[in-house]
Each structure stands twice: as C-alpha cells, then as structure tokens.
Amino acid sequence: MQKEPKKQNLFFLLGSGLILLSALLLRIIPILGNNFYFTMDQGNDAVHVREILERHQILWQGPETGIKGLFAGPLWYYFLSLGYLLFRGHPFGGVFLMIILNVGLTGFLIWWLKKKVSLNAAFLIGISLQFFWWFYEGSRYAFNPFPLITLALITILMLSDFLPGRQNRFLLAAIPIGLAFHFEVAGATVLFLFYLLISSYSIIKRRLSWQILTASFLIILFFFLPHFISEINSNFSQTQTLIRELKEPRGVMAETR
C-alpha cells in the first residue's frame, strides 16, 4: 500500500519535470542569437533600469499608462533590474525573467491541479498550455503587461480556495492584486473590481470577517505607497490628470474607450 503513493509521486515528479523542461526549451531556443523584440518600450525600460543599477536612484513611478501623465507603480523596473543584473546589462535578462515567470506558473498550475483535481488533469493542462499561443506569447519579450497573466491566475486560484471557507486565501489574493498595479493599471483595475465583488458577496453571505477584509485592503494599500510618495512629490499631478480625463467629453471614460 505504501509503494503506490511513492510510485505516483515519482511519476508526478518525472512527468511535471519533463513538461517544465520542454516549456523552458520551447521558449529559450527561438530567442537564441538575440532573436527577440527590443522596441521603444523595452528601450525606455532599460533607461530606467540603468537609473536603478548604475546611478542608484530610487524610482517612484513605473511605466506610463495609455493615459498620458498616469503611471503604474515602479516594481516593474525593479523586477527587470534583477534580469539585467544577472546578465550584466544584456536585455536578454528581461526576457529570461518573463520565461521563468511563465514556466513557473505552469509548474504552479500542475501542482495545484494535481492537489485539487487529479494527476491526469494536471498533466493535460500543463501540456496544453504550451500550445496556447496567448500564454506562450507572454514570455516572448519583456513587456510590462505580461506578468498580469501570472498575477490574474494566482488571484483566481486563491479566491477559488477562499470560497469554500479558507479565509487566509482571501488575504493571499490581495498580494497579486496589489502587485498588478505596478505592471498594468487597466488590467489591475479589473482584477480589483472582481476582488471587490467577491468580498461584497462574501460579507453578505457572512463567509468573510471584517478583520480579514480590512487586513486585505491594507495589503493592497501597501503596494500603493510608491504612488502616494510620487503624488506628494509631484503636487498630485496624476490625480489631477485622472480627474481631467474623467471630466473631459473625449476622455478615457468617453464612448467606446
């Protein structure tokens, strides 16, 4: 009886290891010889990374959003800095981080599905994801909205664990939502509204305590500290920009925009 779980665990380790190795090679081989995108966006990111690594500047603003004068948080630049530091300033470092993030998410999903559903389902999803173009494209080059794939999936998984009654998962789901505002603000706003909807439903159904709810929103607010500091330093320029966009007839909330 004890041999069966050991065999299954060995099979899981070998199978998931093979999937992850294949996923890594599928992403690494095509970009050998610097065959990856380095556009104006990546060039702008590299300039900010240089400010961090070489000039030791503390950045309070991240990439500019689709609204001129409104910025994401700066953690995207600090995240990229790790890759640039690892590869001594080569822009491949940013792409490498996206690949690791993408493959790491595959590994996390395989582990989670094996635990919650079945081993067969875990392997099926793990293999299928490698042929899903939109998932694969999220690791082809370093672009600040791409980490939202990982953050959104982790949020959904944590909330799906929370709904049966594990309240600490609601706290954990607040972390990727807070992080998302440092990568892509529009997508992060949708995630936050989804989180708000789940929290409202859970409070009404008495599945969530006010203490956990308060702690969760404090976690999200913590990730906004750089935004607050940036606003104080710039006389609340981003707040004024957002108010102006909301009021203008052809602003961000107008028509199909």
Side-chain angles (χ1 to χ4, degrees), residues 2-66:
Q2 292 181 353
K3 289 183 179 180
E4 199 62 33
K6 286 184 179 180
K7 282 184 178 180
Q8 192 179 53
N9 288 336
L10 182 61
F11 181 66
F12 170 71
L13 290 174
L14 290 174
S16 56
L18 186 60
I19 293 171
L20 295 179
L21 179 61
S22 301
L24 184 63
L25 293 176
L26 278 170
R27 288 156 176 78
I28 290 287
I29 292 173
I31 64 173
L32 292 177
N34 299 325
N35 186 28
F36 56 85
Y37 291 109
F38 190 81
T39 68
M40 180 175 66
D41 290 320
Q42 284 72 53
N44 180 62
D45 290 343
V47 170
H48 287 88
V49 169
R50 182 185 63 186
E51 294 296 305
I52 295 170
L53 294 180
E54 295 186 8
R55 298 180 180 175
H56 309 295
Q57 297 294 312
I58 297 175
L59 303 185
W60 301 110
Q61 290 181 347
E64 191 171 32
T65 67

Side-chain angles (χ1 to χ4, degrees), residues 73-121:
L75 289 184
W76 166 247
Y77 294 144
Y78 287 96
F79 174 70
L80 274 185
S81 297
L82 298 174
Y84 275 79
L85 187 64
L86 186 62
F87 288 88
R88 298 183 179 181
H90 197 292
F92 173 76
V95 186
F96 178 76
L97 287 181
M98 297 311 303
I99 290 172
I100 295 301
L101 196 63
N102 201 268
V103 174
L105 177 59
T106 300
F108 180 77
L109 281 171
I110 291 172
W111 170 81
W112 194 88
L113 287 167
K114 186 247 183 186
K115 184 180 176 184
K116 299 291 183 180
V117 187
S118 70
L119 183 62
N120 290 336

